[in-house]
Amino acid sequence: ATRSFRKERRYPMDENDEDEQRHGSDYQRFKRLWRNERCSPVLLPHQEDLIQSVKFDIAAQRENLETNRSMHQDNMSKVMLDAMELECDRHQFLLSSYRRSRIQKIQSMHMFLLADEEAFEHMSKAEQDFCTGYANMVQRFLGASFLDALPESLRRIDKPEMFVKPNLDKPVFIRVLEDCGVVQMDDDGVEMNTGDVKVVKYQNIEQLLLDQRIELI
């Protein structure tokens, strides 16, 4: 007999929704966000609504799995439920990987993020608290290790020239999601059409990335 499993939100595509067709379901958009974060030299704006939606979907799928496991005990059902659980674990892995990527950037660029108002606003409230606490911890550690033994004039580590900053000249691979026309790249103009794959400096395409007209790959 054919088994019928209860499924919660499974990221449906609405063919009449132009934005949904362009950017995909929540999970598809999250995978793009994850790739962009991993490939970008900067800390990209935190997207709270999307992250919360993905977390809700993962929790709903896990609850659905537990319900179905109690209802279906035959071997075929167990195989199907194991496959669903594997998919759910994959979603959870991507969410954890996304968080790790952001934490690593925050740790390496914490002084810059605290000093730059726009970059600071790219963090969630929890990330801002972590960044502040991490900076204070580093300050205390360096002070106890050697800074306190130096003359007072040499103890400061919050000078802008000492900050670790994102490398905006980093070359990145991009895929064009919609026609962008001719985009200025340093001294040259480059035509970008939907589906094109190019290697460019990050600073030349940052706004296109934030506008979701391209993605990093």
Side-chain angles (χ1 to χ4, degrees):
T2 302
R3 296 294 178 182
S4 176
F5 291 95
R6 293 175 55 236
K7 295 184 180 181
E8 302 297 333
R9 300 172 61 191
R10 295 308 303 269
Y11 317 106
M13 291 290 288
D14 184 351
E15 295 181 355
N16 297 320
D17 189 335
E18 181 177 349
D19 185 70
E20 187 77 0
Q21 290 184 24
R22 171 186 169 191
H23 297 300
S25 66
D26 280 355
Y27 181 63
Q28 290 169 330
R29 291 193 298 123
F30 173 69
K31 284 201 299 184
R32 180 174 296 136
L33 178 67
W34 168 71
R35 285 195 301 267
N36 289 343
E37 191 66 64
R38 285 176 58 86
C39 297
S40 168
V42 307
L43 188 72
L44 296 174
H46 179 73
Q47 296 189 26
E48 182 67 22
D49 291 344
L50 178 58
I51 298 301
Q52 290 301 320
S53 177
V54 171
K55 288 172 62 178
F56 174 84
D57 288 335
I58 292 173
Q61 281 199 17
R62 291 202 183 279
E63 182 180 355
N64 185 42
L65 279 168
E66 292 303 315
T67 300
N68 280 304
R69 285 196 188 281
S70 65
M71 296 170 57
H72 306 285
Q73 300 295 326
D74 60 281
N75 290 335
M76 181 59 69
S77 296
K78 289 180 180 179
V79 170
M80 295 179 65
L81 288 168
D82 286 344
M84 293 170 61
E85 184 173 16
L86 183 62
E87 178 187 14
C88 190
D89 289 342
R90 182 165 58 89
H91 295 179
Q92 183 64 57
F93 171 81
L94 290 184
L95 183 60
S96 298
S97 176
Y98 170 76
R99 289 168 170 166
R100 286 195 301 270
S101 295
R102 292 182 65 84
I103 289 297
Q104 288 170 357
K105 290 181 182 181
I106 292 171
Q107 289 177 322
S108 66
M109 299 188 294
H110 60 276
M111 296 303 296
F112 166 76
L113 294 171
L114 290 173
D116 188 284
E117 183 176 353
E118 181 178 359
F120 185 78
E121 291 301 320
H122 285 183
M123 295 185 284
S124 67
K125 179 61 169 61
E127 289 172 338
Q128 291 173 352
D129 292 342
F130 172 82
C131 186
T132 302
Y134 182 80
N136 291 335
M137 182 183 67
V138 170
Q139 178 71 51
R140 291 194 301 270
F141 172 77
L142 295 180
S145 298
F146 66 91
L147 285 181
D148 290 348
L150 298 176
E152 187 172 351
S153 60
L154 300 178
R155 295 179 187 174
R156 290 189 57 187
I157 61 172
D158 58 350
K159 298 179 181 179
E161 59 269 21
M162 301 173 68
F163 296 167
V164 176
K165 302 176 182 178
N167 178 17
L168 300 181
D169 287 330
K170 176 184 176 180
V172 292
F173 285 87
I174 68 168
R175 179 185 293 114
V176 182
L177 300 177
E178 64 176 44
D179 291 344
C180 299
V182 177
V183 178
Q184 191 65 31
M185 302 285 178
D186 296 330
D187 297 329
D188 299 320
V190 177
E191 186 172 357
M192 290 191 177
N193 299 314
T194 302
D196 287 352
V197 174
K198 299 182 182 295
V199 182
V200 296
K201 285 184 181 180
Y202 177 81
Q203 64 178 348
N204 291 329
I205 51 81
E206 182 174 38
Q207 191 56 52
L208 293 176
L209 179 65
L210 296 177
D211 292 341
Q212 302 183 52
R213 303 181 70 185
I214 64 169
E215 65 178 348
L216 303 184
I217 56 176

